[in-house]
């Protein structure tokens, strides 16, 4: 269906190759997962399928890409509309009309499909994706998962034989992601559509993939079944990592595979206390000086830093946050979870003081950040918003750092020093917008930490980060907490929560519905349980690192298993 | 199976008539023709009684036949605009136009002006003729504006753009995209401004402006690139290769034709214009523009989803507007006196039969056209889960309506031991 013949691509004539000598043949009806670290050329590969690369991105493409026998070199992307359907990470950015039904029809109108046929296909697609009840709704009023399904539907109506999905579930909560993926699976099974999907959160897709395209980063593409490639693939979901530390072969690809294999492991781990779930290796060089610590003695772990009482946020007549009480303690990482729109962001903004708050009080270091001037508020509570790049507006990283020192009244170079600890090796002359997602996040975090707030709030920080970047970021978060801060992370990423958070707060409809230690909250929920917990259930183990350390300790001691740890 | 949802079948142009007609929205073009008919009629008279009747007719039809979409509420704004026009006209007559007419109502102190401004009087005597003249003039203009407002609140502007001829499709598409992008831009400005407070909102003036503009522009640029790529991938602009010469000819024909139409309209509406400037120019210009559109439309291969069709109700609506305008023209030829009530000597405006009938013809659509569908979204077939209706945060709909198996997202979490104390 799709063939790449010796395809090479570089953005600049003498720049590094994004793709180098790629030969691929993807047969009809396969679900093909494209994976690799950020910046290894996944999006380039996907864009080349219908000719958006190089026609929309610029750059030099050599070799030949064909879809159903038609080459992209001679035809513009428009002429592939009936063959290739493409859906991006942010569905809103690709919507042309403003209501569901017209969006579904748009592609067909361009292809001059007869009105009767259009009408029929719209109805079929509404049913196929389970969005019939949304037909007259405005696109902007839909939730993320619904928008993503409408976006998929809007390309399906043209009956393409190839579907290209670039990070379709990155921004979605676990439940919405499952809805989208089950819709995609249905297409593969029922309609024989060939699907090419790139996804950072491999754990969501890997088990369904017929084929894996792994981009190691040198421009080449390794092609094979997941079982063939997984043993030495640098990016791997937790279930595969668990298989590696447990020494299983072949590696399990799904929770079900692993669970059937895990009886022995469960037995070995019963009666053992799981250690800390955080990764042991910390990529950030340990520092004698704590990172941007508030002045004075660090507060003892557990000492309350922030107390919020009856915080309520409303937009018009909608109640986003309803009388929420929250206490944050020093040295603690709290994860704030809940489906899209459950009030997580509203709560963070209200607590920080920059967002609207209808009623309620927040107390940090003897003051309410909502009543204080912005500069004082940020010295008490720091917030990294969902679109972190909103805070960056200068030409170079150095300028941003200097500006930040000036804003915070900190000594010259403090922001830069922080940045070097969080993400070493960012050139001072580079433009902030050219940095990778992870580097941008580190820069914004450094800017906010320069004001030395004791409480740090992070809104969806792991969106767009690959496994390695997430691991490094997790280490940074642990370090912030170890220095006596309280960190809150609003996120959908259950694996990240399992590895980093001490405590999980679950919100629904603007209220807190669960609040407790991470293992207690996540292990009992089907939607929020990390893969390792599902495999080892009912044991409260959360991450492959935890299991790996326990097994390594076994090997070292080569002695009868320890018994002092009681099961929690 | 409602008749109006079926695509037209070959061999049968219109579905069987039913009474009362099933609710549907009328072709926007029909409403525009109707409203223009009323506006043309209003332009031919200053008789306040007739103008008030036209206003009443327009308002009545709007109230009976508008939907509940956002633009339907714009009619009030046009009424306010009309009132403003009248007030301004009268006020200007009081300020500048003093001294004309014999029936002096009251006298304001006149402000003496220097020699250079001879011929202009500020304030002074205020005569009834002068006020009435201003009022009549203002009322005529206001009525025309309100007629346009009626069309605006009755016809969906987006469907109107969709009904544009094929050659103008690109223009229509750009307008639609612009309409969608504007709210996004506002949203992004608000987001960035809020985010700036997180950095202590340092700096005022130019520096602050820069802090807002750069992220917003970057956002807008990224978004438009993404949109362009998405539109291209979905087939927008599959021209099938029209050569530049054809496009040039098309463009020239359309522009020349439209200029002709404008000139012709002026000729028709202004009774003092030479005859040649009227109907011939209008028809000629129309023909040229039409030729351009047909030529341009030939290269377009595109279809419309659920296109609006012309059915009896549309013809009737457009016909009602045309009748009003035509009868008014007829009256202007036969019995012009009552259309322009005399100001000197002052006389009560009077009504004669034909203009009244003309205006009353305009009210027919209020009774004879199908009602508009009352809700923008069709009623939901299946009842939604209870939690669905009150999606919080404004931006998202009901999470519970997803239907599929994952709907019990939080069910398990509720089972966890709820501990309000933070973990030490």
């Amino acid at each position: 269906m799709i063939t790449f013949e010796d395809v090479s691509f570089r953005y600049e004539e003498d720049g590094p190759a994004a793709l180098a000598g790629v030969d691929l043949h993807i047969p009809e009806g396969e679900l093909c997962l494209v994976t690799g670290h950020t910046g290894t050329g996944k999006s380039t590969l996907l864009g080349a399928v219908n000719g958006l690369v190089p026609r929309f991105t610029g750059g030099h493409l050599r070799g030949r890409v064909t879809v159903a026998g038609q080459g992209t070199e001679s035809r513009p992307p428009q002429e592939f509309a009936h063959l290739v359907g493409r859906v991006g990470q942010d569905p809103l950015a690709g919507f042309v009309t403003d209501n569901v039904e017209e969006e579904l029809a748009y592609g067909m109108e361009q292809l001059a499909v007869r009105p009767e046929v259009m009408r029929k296909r719209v109805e079929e697609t509404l049913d196929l994706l389970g969005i019939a009840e949304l037909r007259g709704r405005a696109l902007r009023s839909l939730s993320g998962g619904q928008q993503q399904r409408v976006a998929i539907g809007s390309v399906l109506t043209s009956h393409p034989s190839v579907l290209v999905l670039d990070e379709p579930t990155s921004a979605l909560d676990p439940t919405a992601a499952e809805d989208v993926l089950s819709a995609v699976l249905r297409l593969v099974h029922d309609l024989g559509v060939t699907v090419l999907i790139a996804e950072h959160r491999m754990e969501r897709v890997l088990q369904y993939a017929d084929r894996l395209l792994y981009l190691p980063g040198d421009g080449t593409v390794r092609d094979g079944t997941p079982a063939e490639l997984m043993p030495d693939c640098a990016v791997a979901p937790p279930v595969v990592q668990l298989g590696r530390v447990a020494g299983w072969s072949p590696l399990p690809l799904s929770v079900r595979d692993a669970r059937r294999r895990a009886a022995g492991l469960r037995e070995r781990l019963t009666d053992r206390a799981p250690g800390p779930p955080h990764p042991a290796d910390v990529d950030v060089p340990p520092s004698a000086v704590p990172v941007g610590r508030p002045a004075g003695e660090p507060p003892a772990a557990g000492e309350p830093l922030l107390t919020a009482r009856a915080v309520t946020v409303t937009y018009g007549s909608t109640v986003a946050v309803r009388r929420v009480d929250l206490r944050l303690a020093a040295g603690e990482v709290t994860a704030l979870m809940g489906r899209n729109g459950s009030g997580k962001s509203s709560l963070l903004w209200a607590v920080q003081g920059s967002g609207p708050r209808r009623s309620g009080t927040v107390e940090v270091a003897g003051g309410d950040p909502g009543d204080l001037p912005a500069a004082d508020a940020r010295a008490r509570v720091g917030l990294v918003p969902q679109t972190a790049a909103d805070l960056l507006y200068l030409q170079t990283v150095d300028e941003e750092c200097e500006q930040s020192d000036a804003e915070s009244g900190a000594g010259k170079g403090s922001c830069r020093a922080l940045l070097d600890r969080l993400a070493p090796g960012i050139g001072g002359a580079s433009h902030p917008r050219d940095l990778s997602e992870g580097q941008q996040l580190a820069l914004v975090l450094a800017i906010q930490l320069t004001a030395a707030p004791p409480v740090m709030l992070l809104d969806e920080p792991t969106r767009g980060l690959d496994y390695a970047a997430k691991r490094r970021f997790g280490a940074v978060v642990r370090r912030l907490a170890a220095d006596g801060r309280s960190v809150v992370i609003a996120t959908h990423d259950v694996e990240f929560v399992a590895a980093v958070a001490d405590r999980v707060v679950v919100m629904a409809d603007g209220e807190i519905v669960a609040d407790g230690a991470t293992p207690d909250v996540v292990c009992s929920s089907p939607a929020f349980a990390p893969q390792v917990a599902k495999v080892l259930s009912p044991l409260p183990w959360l991450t492959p690192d935890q299991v790996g350390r326990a097994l390594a300790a076994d090997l070292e001691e080569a002695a009868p298993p320890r018994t002092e740890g009681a099961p929690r | 199976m409602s008749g109006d949802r079926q695509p037209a079948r070959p061999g049968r142009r219109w579905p069987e008539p039913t009474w009362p007609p099933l609710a549907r929205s009328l072709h926007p073009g029909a409403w525009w023709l109707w409203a223009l008919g009323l506006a043309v009629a209003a332009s031919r008279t200053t008789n306040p009684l007739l103008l008030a009747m036209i206003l009443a007719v327009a308002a009545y039809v709007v109230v009976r036949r508008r939907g509940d979409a956002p633009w339907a509420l714009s009619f009030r704004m046009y009424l306010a605009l009309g009132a403003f026009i009248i007030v301004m006209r009268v006020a200007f007559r009081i300020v500048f136009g003093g001294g004309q007419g014999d029936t002096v109502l009251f006298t304001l102190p006149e402000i003496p002006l220097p020699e250079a401004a001879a011929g202009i009087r500020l304030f002074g005597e205020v005569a009834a003729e002068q006020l009435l003249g201003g009022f009549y003039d203002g009322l005529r203009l206001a009525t025309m504006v309100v007629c346009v407002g009626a069309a605006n609140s009755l016809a969906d502007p987006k469907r109107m753009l969709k009904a544009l001829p094929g050659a103008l499709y690109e223009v229509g598409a750009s307008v639609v995209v612009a309409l969608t992008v504007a709210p996004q831009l506002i949203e992004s400005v608000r987001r960035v401004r809020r985010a700036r407070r997180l950095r202590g909102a340092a700096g005022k003036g130019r520096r602050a402006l820069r802090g807002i503009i750069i992220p917003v522009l970057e956002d807008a640029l990224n978004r438009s690139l993404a949109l362009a790529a998405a539109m291209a991938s979905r087939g927008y602009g599959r021209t099938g290769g029209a050569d530049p010469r054809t496009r040039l000819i098309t463009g020239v024909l359309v522009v020349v034709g439209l200029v002709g139409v404008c000139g012709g309209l002026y000729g028709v509406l202004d009774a003092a214009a030479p005859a040649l400037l009227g109907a011939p120019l209008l028809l000629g210009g129309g023909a040229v523009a039409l030729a351009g559109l047909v030529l341009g439309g030939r290269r377009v291969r595109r279809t419309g989803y659920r296109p609006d069709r012309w059915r009896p109700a549309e013809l009737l609506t457009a016909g009602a507007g045309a009748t009003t305008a035509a009868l008014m023209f007829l009256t202007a030829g036969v019995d012009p006196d009552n259309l322009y009530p005399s100001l000197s000597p002052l006389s009560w405006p009077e009504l004669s039969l034909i203009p009244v009938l003309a205006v009353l013809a305009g009210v027919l659509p209020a009774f004879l056209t199908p009602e508009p569908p009352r809700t923008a979204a069709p009623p939901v077939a299946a009842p939604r889960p209870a939690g669905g209706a009150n999606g919080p945060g404004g931006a998202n709909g009901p999470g519970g309506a997803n239907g599929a198996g994952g709907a019990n997202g939080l069910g398990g979490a509720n089972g966890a031991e709820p501990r309000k104390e933070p973990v030490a």
Side-chain angles (χ1 to χ4, degrees):
Chain A
M1 198 71 214
I2 308 170
T3 54
F4 280 65
E5 292 165 26
D6 193 26
V7 173
S8 301
F9 178 78
R10 42 189 86 226
Y11 282 97
E12 283 151 32
E13 193 81 64
D14 45 359
L19 297 175
V22 175
D23 271 304
L24 277 182
H25 174 76
I26 299 168
E28 200 177 324
E30 290 212 333
L31 177 68
C32 187
L33 173 64
V34 182
T35 180
H37 288 303
T38 311
T40 49
K42 295 196 295 291
S43 293
T44 311
L45 185 76
L46 295 187
V49 172
N50 70 344
L52 284 179
V53 173
R55 279 176 200 263
F56 268 74
T57 58
H60 306 268
L61 184 98
R62 256 179 304 161
R64 192 174 141 82
V65 182
T66 57
V67 180
Q70 305 197 19
T72 57
E73 71 279 354
S74 55
R75 295 148 176 270
Q78 282 90 330
E79 304 296 324
F80 283 89
H82 61 292
L83 280 175
V84 181
R86 203 191 135 76
V87 176
Q89 180 178 356
D90 179 10
L92 260 186
F95 285 149
V96 186
T97 64
D98 61 358
N99 86 41
V100 172
E101 219 176 330
E102 281 175 15
E103 189 64 26
L104 291 182
Y106 180 80
M108 292 188 290
E109 289 181 345
Q110 307 306 314
L111 299 175
V113 174
R114 279 183 300 129
E116 309 88 276
V117 181
M118 265 199 248
R119 193 68 212 277
K120 196 169 119 268
R121 282 198 198 166
V122 166
E123 300 302 327
E124 288 164 358
T125 310
L126 286 171
D127 284 339
L128 187 68
L129 297 176
I131 47 178
E133 75 275 20
L134 307 177
R135 67 157 64 215
R137 293 268 300 274
L139 292 168
R140 299 187 72 78
S141 72
L142 303 180
S143 72
Q146 291 169 336
Q147 282 175 351
Q148 197 58 278
R149 277 184 291 163
V150 171
I152 292 176
S154 69
V155 299
L156 271 187
T157 47
S158 312
H159 285 191
S161 23
V162 177
L163 200 56
V164 174
L165 306 168
D166 196 353
E167 306 273 342
T169 71
S170 296
L172 303 183
D173 59 65
T175 317
E178 258 165 43
D179 287 343
V180 170
L181 285 174
S182 64
V184 171
L185 282 183
R186 200 147 157 212
L187 302 177
V188 175
H189 286 283
D190 296 356
L191 304 182
V193 178
T194 311
V195 175
L196 214 57
I197 179 169
E199 184 58 71
H200 276 313
R201 302 201 182 158
M202 270 172 89
E203 66 268 17
R204 289 176 171 174
V205 190
L206 184 67
Q207 47 189 315
Y208 308 119
D210 300 310
R211 174 191 291 260
L212 193 63
L213 300 181
Y214 170 52
L215 285 72
D218 53 0
T220 57
V221 175
R222 296 180 55 196
D223 168 20
T225 63
E228 286 164 19
L229 288 183
M230 244 24 253
D232 42 10
C233 180
V235 283
V239 69
V240 172
Q241 291 172 14
L242 180 71
R244 285 182 190 161
V245 299
W248 291 331
S249 176
L251 285 172
L253 299 177
S254 67
V255 168
R256 191 162 168 267
D257 281 354
R259 186 144 179 96
R260 290 165 62 196
R261 208 82 64 73
L265 183 64
R266 274 200 296 273
E267 210 161 284
R268 265 172 81 187
L269 295 175
T270 317
D271 300 339
R272 299 274 303 265
H278 332 303
D281 59 319
V282 176
D283 291 349
V284 182
S287 55
V289 192
V291 180
R293 206 192 60 203
E297 279 299 298
E303 187 182 315
L305 294 180
L306 179 146
T307 312
R309 285 194 194 88
V311 172
T312 304
V313 181
T314 54
Y315 302 106
S317 60
T318 354
V319 182
V321 177
R322 193 185 292 272
R323 297 185 63 81
V324 164
D325 295 322
L326 189 67
R327 283 177 62 196
L328 299 176
E332 183 184 61
V333 178
T334 307
L336 192 56
M337 304 189 78
R339 63 173 84 90
N340 289 337
S342 57
K344 303 188 296 288
S345 294
S346 300
L347 177 62
L348 292 190
W349 280 90
V351 165
Q352 201 278 333
S354 297
R357 190 201 311 159
R358 187 165 180 268
S359 58
T361 59
V362 178
E363 197 194 319
V364 197
D368 188 332
D371 302 334
L372 295 170
D376 289 345
R378 73 186 284 262
R380 288 165 200 239
V381 184
L383 172 61
V384 174
Q386 204 164 17
T387 39
D390 283 351
L391 293 184
L392 305 174
Y393 60 98
L394 294 170
Q395 300 299 319
T396 65
V397 172
D398 279 343
E399 277 180 51
E400 290 281 3
C401 288
E402 279 165 29
Q403 172 68 20
S404 168
D405 292 340
E407 281 164 358
S408 316
K412 233 177 164 32
S414 0
C415 180
R416 181 71 224 190
L418 281 168
L419 180 60
D420 285 337
R421 295 221 188 87
L422 299 179
I426 298 180
S430 43
H431 196 288
R433 308 254 161 201
D434 290 340
L435 303 179
S436 73
E437 295 253 3
Q439 290 172 328
Q440 264 186 11
L441 180 66
L443 178 57
V444 173
L445 186 57
I447 288 172
Q448 293 299 65
L449 282 175
T450 312
V455 177
M456 194 72 212
L457 313 174
L458 306 164
D459 197 357
E460 285 287 339
T462 61
R463 181 177 182 173
L465 299 188
D466 58 31
Y467 286 112
K470 246 191 274 190
R471 203 182 165 86
R472 275 197 300 276
F473 184 70
V476 167
V477 169
R478 288 310 315 174
R479 178 156 303 264
L480 295 181
D483 290 343
R485 281 199 191 74
S486 187
V487 184
V488 180
I489 305 169
T491 183
H492 295 312
D493 194 332
V494 291
E495 304 295 342
F496 184 75
V497 168
V500 171
D502 302 309
R503 166 185 170 203
V504 174
V505 173
V506 180
M507 287 187 76
D509 266 354
E511 290 173 344
I512 291 183
V513 296
D515 181 355
T518 305
D520 299 347
V521 174
V522 297
C523 290
S524 58
S525 154
F528 294 139
Q531 287 194 315
V532 172
K534 285 179 185 163
V535 173
L536 297 179
S537 158
L539 306 182
W541 296 69
L542 299 177
T543 61
D545 288 300
Q546 244 177 352
V547 178
R549 271 197 298 271
L551 296 180
D554 272 4
L555 281 182
E556 269 173 31
E557 290 182 11
R562 296 184 297 175
T563 48
E564 67 266 39
R568 293 179 70 167
Chain B
M1 286 299 266
S2 55
D4 58 343
R5 292 216 163 171
Q6 274 180 347
R9 290 185 206 137
R12 208 179 75 174
R13 277 189 70 198
W14 290 318
E16 297 281 333
T18 49
W19 195 263
L22 297 169
R24 69 183 175 93
S25 30
L26 236 49
H27 193 295
W31 285 125
W32 272 100
L33 286 177
W34 167 81
L36 288 178
L38 287 190
V40 167
S43 76
R44 304 302 292 195
T45 179
T46 56
N47 186 334
L49 297 177
L50 278 178
L51 289 175
M53 275 181 70
I54 294 179
L55 278 178
V57 162
Y60 185 66
V61 174
V62 166
V63 168
R64 279 191 59 111
R65 285 297 175 259
R66 70 175 164 192
D68 49 9
W71 57 84
L73 301 175
S74 63
F75 190 63
R76 250 182 301 174
M77 267 168 42
Y78 285 93
L79 284 181
L81 181 63
F84 177 73
I85 289 173
I86 296 174
V87 170
M88 285 310 285
R89 281 280 171 141
V90 174
F92 266 89
R93 291 288 170 110
I94 294 178
V95 175
F96 294 112
Q100 297 154 2
D102 305 326
T103 329
V104 175
L105 294 179
F106 52 93
T107 310
L108 292 171
E110 190 176 334
I111 298 175
L113 288 177
E115 226 19 64
I120 300 177
R121 266 181 59 173
L122 284 185
F123 300 108
E125 292 173 344
V126 177
E129 289 87 349
Q130 169 193 346
L131 287 189
L132 266 186
F135 175 69
Y136 286 179
D137 248 17
L139 186 62
R140 176 163 66 168
L141 188 57
T143 308
M144 291 167 75
V145 166
V146 168
C147 287
V148 172
N152 250 331
S153 44
L154 286 167
D156 179 346
K158 286 201 172 163
R159 293 206 76 86
M160 187 70 198
L161 286 172
K162 272 190 100 172
L164 284 178
L168 295 182
Y169 175 80
E170 270 90 0
V171 180
S174 326
V175 173
V176 170
V177 168
L179 286 179
T180 331
V181 165
Q184 287 178 1
L185 210 60
I186 294 169
E187 195 175 283
S188 132
V189 169
R190 275 167 54 187
R191 205 190 62 222
V192 171
R193 280 187 55 175
R194 198 174 65 155
R196 276 189 55 73
R197 210 185 114 98
L198 295 180
R199 278 190 80 162
K204 293 261 183 291
R206 251 188 66 210
R207 184 135 221 164
L209 199 63
R210 189 175 168 195
I212 292 171
I213 284 182
I214 289 187
V216 167
L217 279 187
E218 202 243 358
D219 208 42
L221 265 178
N222 278 344
R223 218 175 257 172
S224 37
L225 281 178
L227 183 62
M231 285 173 77
S233 323
R234 287 168 67 186
Y236 175 78
R238 274 163 84 103
T239 53
D243 62 313
R245 241 188 63 214
T246 327
R247 291 172 94 157
L248 184 72
I249 294 175
T250 314
V252 169
L253 281 179
V254 170
V255 170
V256 169
L258 288 181
V259 169
V261 168
C262 289
L265 270 180
Y266 175 73
V268 170
L269 293 180
D270 185 4
L276 191 66
L277 210 65
L281 190 60
L282 181 65
L283 293 180
V288 172
L290 196 68
L293 292 182
V294 169
L295 191 66
R298 266 182 23 203
R299 71 187 164 88
V300 180
R301 290 176 295 140
R302 200 178 288 110
T303 48
Y305 175 66
R306 293 173 80 171
D308 292 304
R309 290 173 199 288
W310 282 84
R311 301 203 204 135
E314 273 85 354
L315 290 181
L316 191 136
T317 306
T323 311
T324 307
L327 280 180
M328 206 63 111
F329 266 83
L330 193 72
T331 325
V334 182
D335 172 29
D337 294 345
N338 285 329
L339 292 184
Y340 298 97
S342 150
L343 286 174
S344 55
L346 280 176
S347 63
W348 285 107
E350 284 172 20
L351 288 176
S352 57
L353 186 63
I354 302 184
V356 170
L357 285 181
V359 175
L360 284 182
V363 85
L364 288 179
F367 304 101
L368 299 182
T369 57
E371 286 202 30
R374 280 297 165 192
T375 45
V380 187
R384 286 189 193 160
N390 53 353
N396 80 317
N402 289 343
N408 60 345
L410 289 171
N414 285 333
E417 254 181 283
R419 277 214 326 233
K420 287 286 173 188
E421 286 303 304
V423 182

